[in-house]
Amino acid sequence: MAGSTHEAQGLVDPFGRVIRDLRISVTDRCNFRCTYCMPMEGMQWLPREAVMSFEEIERLARIFVARYGVEGIRLTGGEPTVRAHLPVLVAKLAAIEGPAGPVDLAMTTNGATLRQMAGTLRRAGLRRINISLDTLDREKFERMTRRDELERVLDGIEAAKEAGFDPVKINAVVERGVNDDEIVALARFGRERSVEVRFIEFMPLDADGHWDDGSVVGQDEIVAAIDAAYPVEQLPARGAAPADRFRYLDGAGTVGVIPTVTKPFCGDCDRVRLTAEGRFRTCLFATDEFDLLAAMRAGETDDELAARIEAAVGTKWAGHRINQVNFVRPAKSMSQIGG
Ligand code: SAM
């Protein structure tokens, strides 16, 4: 595929969307068992040899960034910080240059080990960090994550700020009847700690399969709850970013909502994903995957891998079908895909 038009223009899908963001899952393993994501027991981990090595991740990342001008990479999982020697991978990826300069390297984490790791990750070249926190109540935290780790996560948020990550963003999945009574408390936490809380609508990617329409708290309801306590106004269009953002009228920062279910933003989607075992996905809800790791291990050249990537991007859907009768859940749950 060397010299193809896509190469000059970037990676463009059939609907004219330019791919600028790559999510890489570095492990399917996690030290939490969040009820909206993983089962309590019985998760089948990938065998070590099935997971991409750092060199394999770096090689694919280089194709996306250097060849196609992908601007951002976000490391995720599973829980990325449980992958041994993660800062080594961060340093390798941070060194990759695209046409627009060094890649913008970010990570999503549960935050539990950031007191130990935040400084090292920052020095290795990680630029941005999102930390998941769905409740401020210790017992509820234990029910939702099946781990008694609230204090460590709160300390991890402080450690990320002390390490110089700015902004630190908080991801909070809202599930009806579970933590929807804490929307205002979480918003207040964000205001007081100067972190941007981003509320995420619960998506049908839970391993337990208990998601249904009724468990989703939609953006309008989330914003109304916040606005009643702390008036907000919506900021101008989000572009390709997943969150709609709102400004507190009293100047105490911003808050976001990722309305995947009630206000899908697929028309602006610029994201693709690599699972920990090197499968390429063009949508979080895709039912097809493209096995780049097998191709790489079979000895394919960068041009051959690029041809596979272009062909896969050529299948990217116009949008997910969560709200349609023909929606089919992906066989994998969020932790196996890489959220
Ligand atoms: N372990 C890391 C963490 O906790 O942030 C990274 C992986 S986790 C799968 C990435 C994000 O996906 C987290 O913010 C998590 O809350 C979110 N998530 C997981 N399952 C979800 C679901 N069913 N609906 C919406 N968000 C979900």
Side-chain angles (χ1 to χ4, degrees), residues 216-261:
V216 178
V217 181
Q219 170 166 312
D220 290 348
E221 193 177 332
I222 293 170
V223 174
I226 298 168
D227 187 60
Y230 307 111
V232 289
E233 71 177 3
Q234 186 157 3
L235 289 168
R238 64 155 87 82
D244 279 329
R245 297 177 70 231
F246 301 81
R247 179 180 83 82
Y248 291 112
L249 295 185
D250 65 2
T254 53
V255 62
V257 182
I258 300 181
T260 310
V261 180

Side-chain angles (χ1 to χ4, degrees), residues 10-11 19-22 24 57-73 96 98-99 272-274 280 292 305 309-310 313:
L11 205 48
I19 305 302
R20 295 207 170 85
D21 187 50
L22 172 66
I24 304 178
I57 293 173
E58 183 189 5
R59 183 170 166 206
L60 289 177
R62 201 172 284 286
I63 293 175
F64 281 97
V65 174
R67 185 178 287 236
Y68 291 118
V70 163
E71 293 161 10
I73 291 181
I96 299 177
V272 291
R273 293 166 197 273
L274 274 172
F280 183 51
L292 296 183
L305 292 169
I309 292 167
E310 289 189 15
V313 167

Side-chain angles (χ1 to χ4, degrees), residues 281-336:
R281 300 175 64 90
T282 58
C283 173
L284 189 50
F285 298 94
T287 45
D288 286 333
E289 296 184 333
F290 301 84
D291 194 348
L292 296 183
L293 182 59
M296 197 165 25
R297 289 183 180 175
E300 290 199 358
T301 64
D302 282 6
D303 285 347
E304 288 168 326
L305 292 169
R308 285 181 189 276
I309 292 167
E310 289 189 15
V313 167
T315 70
K316 187 169 164 74
W317 297 345
H320 70 64
R321 305 191 181 95
I322 294 177
N323 300 312
Q324 295 168 31
V325 283
N326 60 353
F327 173 66
V328 178
R329 284 180 62 126
K332 287 182 173 170
S333 54
M334 188 70 112
S335 70
Q336 297 168 310

